[in-house]
């Protein structure tokens, strides 16, 4: 049942909720955190935690993708980023870190647009993915829908294990009078590797993406720490409602397809451990983290964080944001923590939340009771 609210005499809308608007409720049973499993598997690939590192240059390099794999997660390399445009991107990263110390700096945005104007080189895609593969971890790379047709053969030839098609929003049906759009259904079925695709922000677009054969769907739109999409385009989808809607699409698609399970991966706006807890409680199988991992000492951004929207050549709708560092990547993910704000020991916090509410694994925890939080103001 859907309840619409009258915004005015000529418009009605559905009330949607962000992760800040909801809270998890303890049950009558508790567990020892050591008895809780946070293992996650997509297709044939198993992981010790439900964390996918966002393909953002400030968070993921080949080295940090390897570190993520060794720590039990999945690192996704941005195949349209600095590592595939420059033989040695370190001087470029140093320059970006040294730009204006202010957020929302037009001068910094202009310089980033210039730096990202360097062409993507296919041979660098091959060599970066080979570096990750040689380390013996699961290899994942990301392209936007606009670049997928141009470079996917290079990506597959390099031996990628999981292919990610990620954009601000990705639809199963893109209409254009100017170019031949990517036919996701045909494309995915022709590949021999699992594909994660998104973002999607609601039930219907997610259901259509599931029907393309995707192994996972990214959920989120305009909710990350660096995005200004809400201000620039007026488009936003509160994440708690978006995850619940897409989880509903997953349930209905399972019935429609005779049992095929598509993983729901929450993407964006989860900078603290409590956000991860609530995303899974709303129905996500895993989370894609950007700013939370960009705070690691090993992160390429050196305490700064930015996404692909920050250097769009025509309409940038993201910022380079100062987020600082909290400790080594291992400490950020597995602890021990020395911070009280949920920025380190993310997995330890997830395990404790699951234990406190009495659940032993992630699928069980998706059934936890949640309530709306009256003490959180709604913007």
């Amino acid at each position: 049942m859907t309840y619409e609210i009258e915004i005015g005499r000529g418009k009605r809308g559905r009330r949607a909720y962000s992760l800040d608007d909801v809270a998890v409720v303890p049950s009558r049973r508790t567990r020892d955190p050591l008895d809780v499993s946070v293992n996650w598997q997509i297709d044939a690939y198993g992981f010790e935690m439900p964390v996918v590192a966002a393909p953002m240059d400030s968070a993921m390099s080949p080295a940090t993708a390897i570190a993520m794999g060794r720590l039990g997660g999945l690192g996704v390399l941005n195949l349209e980023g600095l590592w595939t445009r420059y033989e040695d991107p370190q001087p470029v990263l140093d320059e970006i870190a040294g730009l204006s110390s202010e957020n929302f700096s037009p001068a910094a945005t202009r310089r980033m647009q210039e730096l990202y104007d360097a062409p993507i080189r296919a041979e660098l895609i091959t060599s970066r993915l080979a570096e990750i593969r040689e380390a013996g971890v699961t290899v994942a790379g990301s392209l936007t829908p606009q670049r997928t047709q141009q470079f996917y053969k290079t990506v597959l030839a390099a031996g990628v294990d999981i292919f990610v098609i990620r954009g601000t929003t990705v639809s199963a049906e893109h209409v254009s009078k100017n170019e031949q759009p990517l036919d996701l259904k045909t494309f995915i079925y022709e590949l021999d590797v699992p594909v994660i695709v998104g973002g999607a922000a609601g039930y219907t677009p997610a259901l259509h993406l599931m029907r393309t054969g995707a192994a996972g769907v990214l959920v989120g739109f305009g909710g990350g720490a660096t995005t200004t999409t809400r201000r620039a385009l007026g488009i936003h989808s509160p994440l708690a409602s978006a995850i619940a809607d897409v989880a509903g699409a997953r349930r209905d698609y399972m019935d429609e397809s005779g049992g095929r399970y598509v993983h729901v991966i929450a993407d964006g706006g989860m900078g603290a451990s409590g956000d991860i807890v609530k995303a899974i409680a709303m129905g996500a199988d895993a989370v894609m983290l950007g700013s939370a991992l960009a705070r690691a000492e090993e992160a390429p951004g050196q305490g700064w964080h930015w996404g692909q929207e920050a250097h769009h050549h025509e309409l940038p709708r993201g910022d380079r944001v100062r987020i600082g560092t909290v400790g080594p990547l291992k400490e950020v993910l597995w602890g021990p923590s020395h911070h009280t704000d949920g920025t380190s020991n993310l997995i330890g916090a997830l395990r404790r939340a699951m234990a406190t509410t009495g659940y032993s694994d992630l699928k069980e925890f998706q059934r936890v009771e949640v309530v709306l939080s009256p003490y959180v103001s709604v913007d």
Side-chain angles (χ1 to χ4, degrees):
M1 184 178 295
T2 300
Y3 296 94
E4 289 188 338
I5 299 170
E6 183 178 286
I7 299 169
R9 289 177 181 259
K11 198 71 172 180
R12 298 180 68 86
R14 184 167 64 95
R15 179 72 171 92
Y17 300 96
S18 71
L19 293 177
D20 283 341
D21 295 325
V22 299
V24 170
V25 179
S27 69
R28 64 180 178 81
R29 178 185 292 118
T30 58
R31 294 183 184 272
D32 187 323
L34 296 178
D35 295 334
V36 171
S37 170
V38 292
N39 291 350
W40 175 62
Q41 180 164 332
I42 182 167
D43 204 80
Y45 301 97
F47 303 95
E48 296 173 27
M49 58 179 167
V51 174
V52 181
M56 305 173 82
D57 283 350
S58 53
M60 281 293 104
S61 65
T64 51
I66 292 168
M68 273 295 298
R70 290 174 174 168
L71 288 169
L74 176 64
V76 183
L77 188 67
N78 176 15
L79 301 180
E80 299 176 36
L82 299 176
W83 276 269
T84 60
R85 297 175 190 263
Y86 295 91
E87 189 76 43
D88 178 11
Q90 193 57 53
V92 181
L93 289 162
D94 293 342
E95 180 176 351
I96 292 174
L99 293 173
S100 170
S101 60
E102 300 177 356
N103 297 337
F104 314 109
S105 166
T109 298
R110 185 180 301 110
R111 182 55 182 152
M112 289 182 67
Q113 289 171 317
E114 294 169 352
L115 292 170
Y116 276 90
D117 197 42
I120 299 169
R121 296 161 55 183
E123 69 273 15
L124 288 179
I125 292 178
T126 300
S127 64
R128 303 308 188 197
L129 292 176
E131 181 181 347
I132 300 172
R133 175 164 294 283
E134 288 169 4
V137 300
T138 303
V139 183
S142 174
L143 291 171
T144 60
Q146 295 84 355
R147 299 278 192 177
T148 294
Q149 291 192 14
Q150 182 180 358
F151 290 112
Y152 82 91
K153 291 183 179 178
T154 301
V155 175
L156 294 178
V160 72
D161 295 315
I162 297 175
F163 187 31
V164 180
I165 302 175
R166 183 178 187 257
T168 304
T169 186
V170 177
S171 67
E173 182 181 356
H174 177 68
V175 180
S176 175
K177 295 181 179 179
N178 302 313
E179 60 184 20
Q180 182 64 33
L182 176 66
D183 184 338
L184 272 177
K185 187 169 185 177
T186 300
F187 176 80
I188 289 174
Y189 273 113
E190 288 178 351
L191 298 183
D192 292 328
V193 300
V195 178
I196 297 172
V197 62
Y203 176 93
T204 299
L207 184 60
H208 282 285
L209 288 178
M210 291 172 186
R211 288 170 176 163
T212 67
V217 172
L218 299 172
V219 184
F221 188 102
T226 66
T227 183
T228 60
T229 299
R230 185 175 184 175
R231 291 199 302 270
L233 300 184
I235 302 175
H236 177 62
S237 180
L239 193 55
S241 292
I243 296 169
D245 284 344
V246 177
R250 175 186 60 202
R251 176 200 59 215
D252 293 347
Y253 178 69
M254 281 187 68
D255 292 339
E256 173 188 306
S257 63
R260 184 173 182 271
Y261 190 91
V262 179
H263 293 267
V264 173
I265 304 170
D267 180 13
M270 293 168 290
S273 54
D275 300 322
I276 299 170
V277 170
K278 290 187 279 188
I280 294 175
M282 297 307 298
D285 298 292
V287 296
M288 177 171 275
L289 301 181
S291 62
L293 302 180
R295 295 191 184 101
E297 292 175 355
E298 302 94 322
Q302 303 171 43
W304 289 90
H305 184 44
W306 65 91
Q308 287 180 276
E309 300 90 350
H311 50 79
H312 191 281
H313 62 285
E314 291 181 352
L315 184 61
R317 48 196 185 277
D319 288 314
R320 182 192 61 123
V321 176
R322 181 70 183 174
I323 59 173
T325 58
V326 297
L329 183 61
K330 183 177 180 180
E331 186 176 295
V332 170
L333 290 167
W334 292 104
S337 174
H338 309 291
H339 302 82
T340 60
D341 57 359
T343 56
S344 61
N345 198 3
L346 304 178
I347 305 305
L350 173 60
R351 293 176 71 128
R352 184 163 294 276
M354 293 170 62
T356 300
T357 52
Y359 294 91
S360 60
D361 61 39
L362 296 171
K363 291 304 299 179
E364 283 188 0
F365 187 60
Q366 291 174 347
R367 301 196 299 267
V368 70
E369 182 182 356
V370 297
V371 294
L372 295 180
S373 308
Y375 48 82
V376 176
S377 62
V378 179
D379 59 18

